[in-house]
Amino acid sequence: MEFCYTLAKKLRNSELTAKYWAEQYPNDYYESGRLFCKFCQHTVDWTHKDACNDHLKSKAHLKNKAKSTVGKSLQVTIEATAKSIDARLEFVEDFVAMCAEADIRLEKMKWICPFLVKHCKQRGALPENASSLRQTHLPRVFDQHLQKVLQEIRGKKIFVVVN
């Protein structure tokens, strides 16, 4: 893998992406917006030169890789993929709902994300920018909240006082 680093040095930083590193280590990593380890099921910091190699040499990675059976198919069933997508979507929407309830601006996620990446199982599920959360997930969370409120008040008499 010395060749990878020599090549990486020649590339400009803007050309080094998660996809680039996934292509360099196709048996260990895949790219889905971020760089994910196939065996550990979490993100790997691809922005630092040695992070990929360090992760491959880590005890946790080697243990997870040893657990996987030799010759096991890498194909994932549609059901497993759907569950994974649903789990990520649930995590993101729960995060957005928590921020809304706690009155935390979504722009503050640049400070919250490093903590979540380090300590949460779903660490790679959050989008990298707040506008994605605001435009895609916040309307869904609002609709879910509105449905809960409407369900609670359905059939009850409501008085509205206007000043």
Side-chain angles (χ1 to χ4, degrees):
M1 282 294 136
E2 277 301 315
F3 172 72
C4 291
Y5 290 126
T6 307
L7 182 61
K9 286 179 185 178
K10 292 179 182 177
L11 292 174
R12 281 181 259 126
N13 285 343
S14 62
E15 294 174 355
L16 294 177
T17 63
K19 183 177 180 180
Y20 171 80
W21 290 112
E23 290 170 354
Q24 299 305 310
Y25 301 98
N27 296 329
D28 294 301
Y29 298 125
Y30 67 95
E31 183 266 338
S32 180
R34 294 183 178 183
L35 186 65
F36 288 89
C37 176
K38 290 180 180 179
F39 301 102
C40 302
Q41 296 300 315
H42 68 78
T43 59
V44 177
D45 181 14
W46 55 268
T47 58
H48 297 292
K49 180 179 170 183
D50 293 327
C52 295
N53 265 348
D54 290 346
H55 175 74
L56 293 176
K57 294 174 186 174
S58 71
K59 289 180 183 178
H61 175 79
L62 294 173
K63 180 181 173 185
N64 290 334
K65 192 170 183 177
K67 280 184 189 177
S68 72
T69 59
V70 176
K72 182 179 177 181
S73 174
L74 291 178
Q75 291 182 337
V76 179
T77 64
I78 293 173
E79 183 179 330
T81 302
K83 284 181 182 178
S84 175
I85 291 169
D86 290 344
R88 286 178 182 218
L89 182 63
E90 181 183 9
F91 175 77
V92 172
E93 289 185 357
D94 286 350
F95 175 78
V96 171
M98 180 271 311
C99 288
E101 289 174 18
D103 199 25
I104 299 171
R105 293 186 356 227
L106 293 175
E107 288 79 16
K108 298 226 177 202
M109 80 178 260
K110 65 181 172 185
W111 291 287
I112 297 171
C113 271
F115 174 81
L116 293 176
V117 166
K118 183 176 180 183
H119 296 289
C120 291
K121 183 178 179 182
Q122 292 284 351
R123 59 188 99 202
L126 287 174
E128 295 202 9
N129 57 9
S131 64
S132 168
L133 292 175
R134 195 172 34 258
Q135 293 170 355
T136 306
H137 301 285
L138 189 59
R140 287 187 206 156
V141 169
F142 176 77
D143 289 341
Q144 290 171 358
H145 180 71
L146 185 60
Q147 292 303 318
K148 285 180 189 175
V149 170
L150 291 175
Q151 190 172 2
E152 286 182 21
I153 64 173
R154 188 168 285 133
K156 296 180 181 177
K157 293 182 181 182
I158 300 174
F159 295 95
V160 178
V161 178
V162 180
N163 289 336

